[in-house]
Amino acid sequence: NNRTIGFASVFDHHGAYVLGGCSPLSNMENYAEKLCDHIKGIVAEAIQVQGVEPNSTIRLIFHLFKDASRYYEIKAILETIECFADYKIEYSLIHISYHHPYRLYQGEGKDIVKRGTFIEISDNWALLNMGVQRSTPLLIKIDPRSTYSDLYDLSKQILHFAHLSHKSF
């Protein structure tokens, strides 16, 4: 009967599920601290499960429903990185949403574009058609504070991982 606000699913670079976890409900006063503890725990467990050696590169990709706050999400990520100084940690903060004014049509506007259609709007923004029968693509925004920002690579990851969580789309 306890609610949760935090969860994490960890996948390797091939999309194989590694582990997941959830954290107890938190208030805003200790949200950054609880988020940091949660991320540290997930990263530590992933390092152990995958046998990641020191000095290896670890890439953390955060799919957020909102823009990241420097007082909460960024603070938690940077504190986590400090705790794992033996590793080269890169991170991306990605805001994904269907709530935007963009629509995609093909031809004379009668046909829906193909699944996987990718349109780069700017260096950090793209539209991605997820294959549903509607004209609204997914808007992908990479936070400019991210240390890894390959928009095309991250968009492909979102497209491929959508199969793992089809109810979200």
Side-chain angles (χ1 to χ4, degrees):
N1 291 332
N2 292 329
R3 294 184 179 192
T4 58
I5 64 163
F7 68 92
S9 296
V10 179
F11 301 88
D12 69 10
H13 61 285
H14 294 296
Y17 180 81
V18 176
L19 59 97
C22 53
S23 61
L25 188 64
S26 170
N27 58 34
M28 289 311 290
E29 286 96 38
N30 62 7
Y31 169 63
E33 179 184 340
K34 296 289 185 184
L35 179 60
C36 184
D37 292 344
H38 184 67
I39 295 169
K40 284 180 196 174
I42 289 290
V43 170
E45 190 173 347
I47 287 170
Q48 180 182 11
V49 167
Q50 292 290 298
V52 180
E53 297 292 327
N55 295 317
S56 296
T57 299
I58 297 173
R59 186 172 297 147
L60 304 174
I61 311 298
F62 298 91
H63 295 187
L64 305 173
F65 70 94
K66 66 176 191 72
D67 291 327
S69 164
R70 68 181 168 144
Y71 300 108
Y72 302 113
E73 293 84 11
I74 298 290
K75 179 180 178 183
I77 291 167
L78 294 178
E79 286 182 22
T80 298
I81 290 171
E82 285 179 21
C83 291
F84 294 95
D86 293 343
Y87 301 89
K88 299 171 192 161
I89 298 182
E90 303 174 332
Y91 66 92
S92 291
L93 298 157
I94 304 172
H95 178 208
I96 54 179
S97 174
Y98 280 116
H99 304 290
H100 55 78
Y102 303 108
R103 302 293 178 263
L104 295 178
Y105 297 98
Q106 190 171 328
E108 296 177 6
K110 298 177 184 175
D111 300 318
I112 304 296
V113 298
K114 294 179 185 175
R115 179 182 187 281
T117 299
F118 170 83
I119 299 173
E120 186 173 338
I121 298 174
S122 70
D123 289 342
N124 291 332
W125 286 36
L127 298 174
L128 180 65
N129 186 306
M130 297 303 291
V132 294
Q133 294 299 315
R134 62 189 216 186
S135 60
T136 306
L138 186 64
L139 176 64
I140 300 169
K141 297 189 309 185
I142 300 175
D143 189 293
R145 297 167 288 189
S146 299
T147 59
Y148 180 76
S149 59
D150 185 326
L151 183 60
Y152 184 69
D153 183 52
L154 293 166
S155 297
K156 282 193 316 186
Q157 181 190 81
I158 290 168
L159 182 66
H160 295 151
F161 285 173
H163 289 294
L164 301 172
S165 181
H166 68 279
K167 289 181 183 179
S168 300
F169 296 98

